[in-house]
């Protein structure tokens, strides 16, 4: 039995609620037992649950279909490691660069940051201009 204490108009009541069968509850108030009839709801209660996520699509063989980005033909993208403003681009399309060469100077938090190529290669394209504001992860230069 669950026990509850209520104060009504200054009087303290100890209420114990026992078993509830169908719509009949056994209740004891200050030691006096009562059988309390519960009112049934007029209309059925609809339980709404969150929709389940759909299962991943599968091939005829049962393997999961996973979308993968198209593989670029040996291209390497130099991305901005932090948001900032492009101060200078010391390379141009067609230049051969080493992994340690600076390809973009980026001003971030009032400091100039040299962005290095990261890989040896040839500059295929430059995606930004001097003065552009870039976000973290933006493609700056593409190498072949």
């Amino acid at each position: 039995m669950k026990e509850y204490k209520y104060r009504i108009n200054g009087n303290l009541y100890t209420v114990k609620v026992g078993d509830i069968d169908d719509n009949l509850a056994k209740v004891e108030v200050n030691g006096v037992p009562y059988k309390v009839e519960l009112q049934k709801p007029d209309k059925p209660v609809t339980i709404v649950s969150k929709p389940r996520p759909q299962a991943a699509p599968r091939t005829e063989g049962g393997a999961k279909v996973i979308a993968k980005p198209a593989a670029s033909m040996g291209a390497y993208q130099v991305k901005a490691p932090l948001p900032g403003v492009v101060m200078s681009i010391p390379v141009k399309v067609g230049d051969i660069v080493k992994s340690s060469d600076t390809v973009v100077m980026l001003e971030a938090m009032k400091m100039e940051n040299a962005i290095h190529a990261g890989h040896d290669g040839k500059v295929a394209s430059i995606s930004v201009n001097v003065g552009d504001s870039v976000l973290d992860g933006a493609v700056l230069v593409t190498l072949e």
Side-chain angles (χ1 to χ4, degrees):
M1 287 187 128
K2 290 188 177 182
E3 185 175 312
Y4 302 95
K5 295 192 184 234
Y6 297 101
R7 186 172 300 277
I8 302 173
N9 294 333
N11 298 324
L12 182 64
Y13 295 93
T14 302
V15 179
K16 294 180 181 177
V17 179
D19 296 330
I20 300 174
D21 293 322
D22 202 18
N23 66 332
L24 194 63
K26 294 178 183 175
V27 178
E28 186 178 302
V29 179
N30 287 344
V32 179
Y34 295 95
K35 288 188 179 180
V36 178
E37 188 175 341
L38 303 173
Q39 186 175 3
K40 290 188 176 182
D42 295 337
K43 46 186 164 175
V45 177
T46 304
I47 298 173
V48 178
S49 62
K50 293 181 182 177
R52 291 180 47 156
Q54 299 253 342
R58 297 185 180 265
T59 62
E60 291 175 10
K64 291 183 181 178
V65 176
I66 299 173
K68 294 181 181 175
S72 55
M73 305 243 197
Y76 175 76
Q77 295 177 332
V78 179
K79 297 181 180 181
L82 67 167
V85 177
V86 177
M87 298 302 296
S88 67
I89 305 169
V91 295
K92 57 186 179 298
V93 175
D95 287 355
I96 304 295
V97 294
K98 299 277 186 198
S99 62
S100 60
D101 290 347
T102 300
V103 292
V104 174
M105 287 298 291
L106 191 66
E107 179 188 8
M109 298 180 287
K110 297 187 180 185
M111 293 182 64
E112 289 186 10
N113 299 279
I115 310 301
H116 301 287
H119 279 72
D120 295 346
K122 179 179 174 183
V123 178
S125 67
I126 300 172
S127 304
V128 293
N129 295 311
V130 174
D132 286 354
S133 293
V134 295
L135 296 175
D136 181 22
V139 177
L140 305 172
V141 175
T142 303
L143 303 176
E144 292 179 333

